[in-house]
């Protein structure tokens, strides 16, 4: 596991922040970013480990409780999906800067994560729906190998968390 601080701003359109130089300081980005990465073997016990590690890291970064709680659930769902449906080692990356926490989970499978319709009595099929409801945005990249989610940490709330919703917004 590694953790490091960086002050290099992400490239436009780069949801995972790309590569950064640790400890770099620039005049363009007054606030430092926080980055944490870990790799794990694809076994079930790693889901709980990833959730606990995420909680510890986000507490260290002083993230407010509500987005930290949302992030723990999103990490659980994305890591679980990578272990169940992916292949090879699973990698988790957390990046916090300004008002967003970016969560990235990768594995070696090229089959992209996709939302499924869960049956009323089924045990699965709800994970990515939860990710969508808790995230500002989420998606799949790198040929299906990466699934990411962006959690607002200060002022923005995801559509399912707004107190007033229009009829076109999803209800969670």
């Amino acid at each position: 596991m590694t953790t490091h601080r960086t002050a290099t701003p992400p490239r436009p359109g780069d949801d995972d922040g790309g590569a950064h130089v640790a400890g770099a300081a620039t005049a363009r980005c007054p606030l430092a970013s926080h980055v944490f990465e870990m790799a794990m073997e694809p076994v079930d016990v790693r889901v709980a480990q990833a959730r606990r590690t995420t909680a510890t890291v986000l507490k260290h970064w002083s993230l407010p409780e509500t987005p930290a709680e949302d992030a723990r659930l999103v990490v659980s769902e994305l890591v679980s999906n990578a272990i169940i449906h992916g292949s090879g080692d699973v990698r988790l990356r957390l990046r916090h800067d300004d008002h967003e926490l970016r969560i990235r989970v990768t594995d070696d499978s090229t089959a992209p994560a996709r939302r499924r319709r869960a049956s009323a009595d089924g045990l699965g099929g709800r994970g990515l729906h939860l990710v969508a409801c808790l995230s500002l945005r989420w998606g799949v990249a790198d040929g299906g190998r990466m699934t990411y989610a962006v959690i607002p940490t200060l002022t923005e709330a995801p559509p399912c968390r707004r107190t007033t919703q229009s009829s076109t917004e999803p209800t969670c």
Side-chain angles (χ1 to χ4, degrees):
M1 284 189 286
T2 61
T3 182
H4 61 275
R5 295 185 81 145
T6 168
T8 306
R11 293 183 297 259
D14 186 6
D15 280 313
D16 67 59
H20 301 285
V21 178
T26 67
R28 296 179 305 165
C29 185
L31 297 176
S33 296
H34 300 282
V35 176
F36 172 82
E37 297 173 318
M38 69 183 278
M40 62 199 97
E41 57 205 5
V43 293
D44 292 343
V45 297
R46 298 299 181 217
V47 176
Q49 179 188 18
R51 186 175 47 249
R52 285 189 309 269
T53 301
T54 297
T56 301
V57 168
L58 298 182
K59 185 175 181 178
H60 178 74
W61 291 349
S62 301
L63 221 66
E65 182 56 32
T66 298
E69 185 177 308
D70 292 349
R72 288 189 302 268
L73 180 54
V74 167
V75 164
S76 290
E77 293 299 334
L78 295 183
V79 169
S80 181
N81 280 352
I83 289 171
I84 293 168
H85 304 291
S87 65
D89 285 347
V90 175
R91 292 160 303 280
L92 168 66
R93 184 173 199 259
L94 306 173
R95 181 173 188 268
H96 178 251
D97 62 356
D98 296 330
H99 306 294
E100 295 180 336
L101 174 68
R102 294 182 178 115
I103 301 166
R104 177 179 83 177
V105 175
T106 58
D107 63 65
D108 295 331
S109 174
T110 57
R114 61 181 178 80
R115 288 172 73 171
R116 300 182 316 175
R117 182 174 297 259
S119 65
D121 58 347
L123 296 176
R126 293 172 183 82
L128 290 178
H129 179 72
L130 289 171
V131 170
C133 287
L134 296 172
S135 304
L136 189 59
R137 63 187 178 277
W138 76 279
V140 175
D142 192 23
R145 290 178 188 87
M146 175 186 18
T147 306
Y148 67 88
V150 179
I151 306 285
T153 58
L154 288 180
T155 58
E156 288 185 83
C160 295
R161 289 289 175 99
R162 292 186 188 139
T163 54
T164 58
Q165 294 187 6
S166 72
S167 59
T168 61
E169 292 178 343
T171 303
C172 297

